[in-house]
Amino acid sequence: MDPQLIAEFRRRFRAAPSHVVRAPGRVNLIGGHIDYHGLPVLPVALDRDVRLLFRPRTDGVVRAQTCAAGLAGASFELATRIPSAELGDWSNYVRGAAQSMVLERGVDRGLDLLVNSTLPMAVGLSSSSALAVAASLALARVNDLELDRVEFAGQMAVAERYVGTQGGGMDQAVCLLALAGHAVYVEFLPLTVRPIALPSDLRVVVAHSLERVEKSGVARAAYNDRRRNGELALALVASHLGLAPNTSYGELINQGDIARQAAAQVLSGSAAGCFRHVVSEARRVAEAVAALESGDLVTLGGLMDASHESLRENLEVSTPALDELVAVARRAGALGCRLTGAGFGGSAVALVAADRVDDVYAALAKEYYQPRGVADPVSAGSLFTCRASGAATVETLG
Ligand code: NG1
């Protein structure tokens, strides 16, 4: 453990930390904006994480501090209704996690915690879920709780809605259940995960568009809007077909062509676009899993490209910058490239054969980053290759 970080904890709390949680961010290879409709996705846990040092307290207070420059700390009491800080405040992820741990697990012992992240924030790599998961794991530890991680991932997906986004459960599932060296095939309703090995000559490249996604702002409304539109489309098509009002997307997709025909009759505008995206993306995820398992990386890359087109065209969550980033990576030899996470800025993920990584890096530096004033995107942290990592851990500090 980094001695400087331990010293920083001591400086702030006048005592040594007892444990550290490491919770990874994630990049989603395919399956954009469908987890919240209960459809499967294929993320990878990153080798960049949120680190949270903590020590138990004897009372029910949580004191939360961060090493991130310019962000104030927070202090609150554990309770069934924890008041939130202002919209967009980082501590809301800790507050939401704590409230959920009180409601669902009855925790009453607080802690002092210090967050230090190697995961950039607001770039679509799920630093928010990693923080919420880390805070909950810390609270579980100081309250001596044993957790079933599958069940816990479901709880955390709901917990994060405290901040106002109506997210699905992908980020929390991969953070808690990933296996190193593997992508994670995540199914919902009920939640199950299946690790799929990534070939050793394949690289997962992550490139930040330099546009931040502040989920507390416009992006939050836009994200929730996509979810509402998708739900509306589902309800209209199901009702047209005389299906039960609580029919899921999975059940509707199983109806095959009839569902597509019904959609063509009853949907228009953005609801039609959402429906097209959701149904086609679900098919692409299934095909992508088969392609990855059979080592057909060209097909996998093509499916990622098609996913980006659908997110851009049907769901309208891309930006001109993301489109350009994706185009440069593909031209330079990526097998496939797409926006990852919610979109509206943030990052793109590219699958690249190991021997083409240098070409892709060089093209992105020259054609995308340098014209935007970033001379060396790798040292700036905007461009990196990730090793697929394992799930969040809690370690005792000696
Ligand atoms: P981001 O905003 O990139 O962490 C969000 C959702 C995911 C998923 C993706 C889009 C949260 C916590 N995460 O990810 O569940 O819906 O968008 O595929 O809301």
Side-chain angles (χ1 to χ4, degrees):
M1 192 67 234
D2 179 359
Q4 274 182 357
L5 198 54
I6 294 188
E8 185 61 23
F9 188 99
R10 281 178 178 278
R11 195 182 67 75
R12 294 188 190 217
F13 295 114
R14 315 229 159 270
S18 59
H19 295 81
V20 58
V21 187
R22 288 189 172 83
R26 66 92 188 97
V27 63
N28 186 21
L29 298 182
I30 193 157
H33 282 265
I34 58 171
D35 61 337
Y36 52 72
H37 292 311
L39 293 167
V41 292
L42 189 64
V44 170
L46 296 174
D47 50 349
R48 297 180 175 223
D49 47 28
V50 165
R51 288 181 194 170
L52 189 152
L53 274 64
F54 65 93
R55 65 182 269 275
R57 293 175 59 88
T58 47
D59 57 15
V61 171
V62 173
R63 286 195 295 172
Q65 300 261 335
T66 171
C67 295
L71 297 185
S75 180
F76 58 88
E77 292 262 359
L78 290 172
T80 50
R81 290 200 51 186
I82 296 172
S84 57
E86 69 182 38
L87 198 64
D89 190 289
W90 73 278
S91 76
N92 284 337
Y93 292 97
V94 180
R95 292 166 192 264
Q99 180 174 293
S100 171
M101 291 304 281
V102 175
L103 286 170
E104 304 293 328
R105 313 273 172 174
V107 303
D108 55 10
R109 185 168 201 189
L111 42 68
D112 291 335
L113 67 88
L114 175 64
V115 176
N116 183 40
S117 185
T118 61
L119 187 63
M121 293 204 271
V123 298
L125 300 178
S126 201
S127 59
S128 56
S129 299
L131 173 57
V133 164
S136 299
L137 286 173
L139 277 165
R141 178 55 64 102
V142 302
N143 285 277
D144 293 322
L145 290 179
E146 286 294 326
L147 298 166
D148 171 290
R149 284 209 169 194
V150 171
E151 192 197 314
F152 187 51
Q155 179 193 333
M156 290 315 300
V158 176
E160 204 173 317
R161 296 189 188 144
Y162 178 94
V163 302
T165 28
Q166 297 298 311
M170 163 171 67
D171 304 347
Q172 300 80 6
V174 66
C175 186
L176 281 160
L177 299 161
L179 184 66
H182 292 68
V184 191
Y185 178 59
V186 186
E187 290 182 282
F188 303 95
L189 314 167
L191 178 65
T192 58
V193 296
R194 178 154 62 85
I196 304 179
L198 289 169
S200 58
D201 55 352
L202 185 69
R203 297 290 176 270
V204 177
V205 172
V206 178
H208 183 217
S209 66
L210 307 177
E211 292 178 329
R212 284 168 69 83
V213 205
E214 299 295 352
K215 272 225 292 254
S216 50
V218 185
R220 180 176 77 138
Y223 178 88
N224 291 342
D225 182 59
R226 299 308 182 280
R227 179 175 180 148
R228 245 192 331 271
N229 268 331
E231 286 169 350
L232 174 70
L234 171 64
L236 288 171
V237 174
S239 134
H240 186 75
L241 291 171
L243 299 170
N246 60 350
T247 301
S248 69
Y249 259 106
E251 288 160 339
L252 195 67
I253 288 169
N254 288 338
Q255 305 278 323
D257 269 351
I258 312 173
R260 253 190 302 278
Q261 284 155 13
Q265 281 171 28
V266 294
L267 302 180
S268 60
S270 51
C274 276
F275 189 86
R276 270 197 306 278
H277 172 72
V278 173
V279 171
S280 64
E281 187 76 350
R283 192 182 59 238
R284 282 187 289 273
V285 171
E287 290 172 6
V289 167
L292 181 56
E293 285 181 322
S294 65
D296 183 354
L297 302 179
V298 171
T299 298
L300 176 60
L303 290 161
M304 290 173 71
D305 291 348
S307 169
H308 183 82
E309 292 321 313
S310 180
L311 288 161
R312 179 181 66 77
E313 175 88 30
N314 292 321
L315 207 63
E316 300 179 67
V317 297
S318 190
T319 62
L322 274 170
D323 293 341
E324 193 183 332
L325 186 61
V326 164
V328 173
R330 283 185 199 154
R331 273 202 306 273
L335 291 155
C337 188
R338 63 185 283 279
L339 72 84
T340 189
F344 318 108
S347 301
V349 57
L351 278 193
V352 186
D355 59 359
R356 298 300 299 272
V357 169
D358 288 350
D359 296 343
V360 172
Y361 269 40
L364 285 171
K366 181 158 173 268
E367 295 171 47
Y368 189 85
Y369 290 107
Q370 282 158 14
R372 288 171 172 78
V374 178
D376 182 354
V378 175
S379 24
S382 305
L383 178 61
F384 62 93
T385 296
C386 87
R387 248 182 312 124
S389 295
T393 56
V394 185
E395 240 177 80
T396 306
L397 296 169

